[in-house]
Amino acid sequence: MKSPNSSSAASQEPVVIDDWPMNLEATRTELGKARKRLERYQAVLRLASVEIEQRNRFILALTTFANQAGRAAKQNNVLRLALVQALETIGAPVGAILLVHPKTKELNIGVHKGLTTQLIDILTGRELNKGATALMPHLVAGYGALLEFATTDDPKEKVLLATGRLTSLVSLPFLVSSKLLGTLLVGLQDKKIFKPSELCFLMALSQETAIVLDSLSLQEGLWHTAEMLLGGKLTDVELEVVESSELNIGGSPPIRLSAPSSPPPQPNDDDLEQLLAAMME
């Protein structure tokens, strides 16, 4: 028979936990490790938050452009809307849209922002020096191109970028099937380069622009066909030729874009280092 005090005596026995850090220094070490892991988790969350926010902005920009460009009745409005959306979303200071003339096949500047007269002559083939041959084969063939001053070994590309005071330049064609309508050019300055997600956004935007431009051409062709069937005068089907014009981002675009309510979040300077350190461990 157990005595009444046996249970209370058992409860007062010391609890022994194996490997428990019994000294203050070991406790501080474990707390330091826990704090480091917490900081790395926070860094990963900040990086993920920035990436998600950026992709959300890109999706919103593409959706907005598709909705507004589909209602635009004139080619000039579509071109300006596409360039405004590209430059504002990426935060690029320089950009242009080149069009291929449907008859002469010449390259013409439809609309631009920040291009000098010399750079316009280079991009349209009127000036064959200053690195014009570095980008011209891509433009004529309808291929995309990415030029970066810091990584290229081609002296012609360096000269071209230096002429426009650019550190990075991307060219993306407007293609519908095998038909080349033009190209979208976006340039960065101040040692900036394009991120992969930004290039994907510009690729999607250029493809949407090509579809809208081709739709306008088809609409005009159907209109002339209707005139012919109704006894009207048949004229040649030709896209509206847009005069070279400077894009004023500060003013109101043909269709106003929705502005973000707050600036996108930015990661800390050491967040990427924290992530890499965690991956190494």
Side-chain angles (χ1 to χ4, degrees):
M1 181 175 181
K2 294 182 180 180
S3 63
N5 296 330
S6 61
S7 58
S8 60
S11 63
Q12 294 177 0
E13 293 180 358
V15 178
V16 179
I17 301 178
D18 294 336
D19 300 327
W20 180 260
M22 301 303 294
N23 60 77
L24 182 59
E25 186 62 30
T27 303
R28 289 176 177 174
T29 301
E30 292 299 321
L31 289 176
K33 293 180 180 179
R35 183 174 64 251
K36 184 179 294 186
R37 287 195 295 268
L38 178 60
E39 290 174 351
R40 289 175 179 175
Y41 291 149
Q42 292 173 338
V44 172
L45 291 176
R46 280 193 297 268
L47 290 172
S49 176
V50 171
E51 183 69 18
I52 292 173
E53 177 66 24
Q54 187 179 55
R55 292 181 183 274
N56 287 341
R57 289 192 300 111
F58 290 161
I59 293 174
L60 177 61
L62 290 172
T63 305
T64 302
F65 173 77
N67 180 55
Q68 296 180 343
R71 296 180 297 175
K74 295 183 179 180
Q75 176 182 326
N76 194 25
N77 286 358
V78 174
L79 297 179
R80 294 189 64 193
L81 178 61
L83 191 56
V84 167
Q85 196 70 281
L87 299 186
E88 286 190 344
T89 305
I90 299 297
V94 178
I97 290 181
L98 275 66
L99 296 177
V100 179
H101 195 281
K103 288 186 176 180
T104 65
K105 306 305 179 183
E106 294 179 349
L107 290 174
N108 298 302
I109 297 288
V111 63
H112 76 90
K113 172 67 177 179
L115 294 188
T116 62
T117 303
Q118 186 180 32
L119 195 54
I120 290 177
D121 292 338
I122 291 173
L123 295 176
T124 55
R126 297 180 179 89
E127 172 64 61
L128 298 181
N129 296 320
K130 301 294 182 181
T133 56
L135 190 60
M136 189 55 61
H138 301 280
L139 296 178
V140 174
Y143 296 146
L146 176 62
L147 312 182
E148 293 183 343
F149 190 87
T151 59
T152 182
D153 295 328
D154 190 337
K156 295 179 180 179
E157 293 183 4
K158 286 186 177 291
V159 171
L160 174 62
L161 294 173
T163 302
R165 299 186 299 276
L166 303 174
T167 55
S168 187
L169 175 67
V170 63
S171 171
L172 296 167
F174 297 148
L175 281 173
V176 178
S177 297
S178 59
K179 183 180 179 182
L180 177 63
L181 305 178
T183 186
L184 170 67
L185 294 166
V186 179
L188 298 179
Q189 297 175 337
D190 301 327
K191 299 182 179 180
K192 296 180 180 179
I193 61 174
F194 290 99
K195 301 175 183 177
S197 57
E198 293 174 339
L199 293 175
C200 291
F201 163 74
L202 292 175
M203 291 170 61
L205 181 64
S206 64
Q207 186 59 37
E208 285 194 5
T209 305
I211 294 174
V212 175
L213 293 177
D214 188 62
S215 176
L216 288 177
S217 176
L218 178 61
Q219 182 180 6
E220 185 176 355
L222 292 175
W223 179 264
H224 289 309
T225 301
E227 287 183 340
M228 181 185 65
L229 295 176
L230 295 176
K233 183 179 179 180
L234 179 62
T235 58
D236 294 335
V237 178
E238 182 177 352
L239 287 178
E240 176 188 1
V241 178
V242 181
E243 298 295 334
S244 175
S245 59
E246 169 74 17
L247 180 66
N248 182 12
I249 295 294
S252 298
I255 305 174
R256 180 171 294 277
L257 303 177
S258 57
S261 57
S262 60
Q266 297 297 327
N268 293 344
D269 294 336
D270 61 342
D271 280 353
L272 186 56
E273 296 181 4
Q274 295 267 17
L275 177 59
L276 292 176
M279 293 174 62
M280 292 297 293
E281 290 185 2

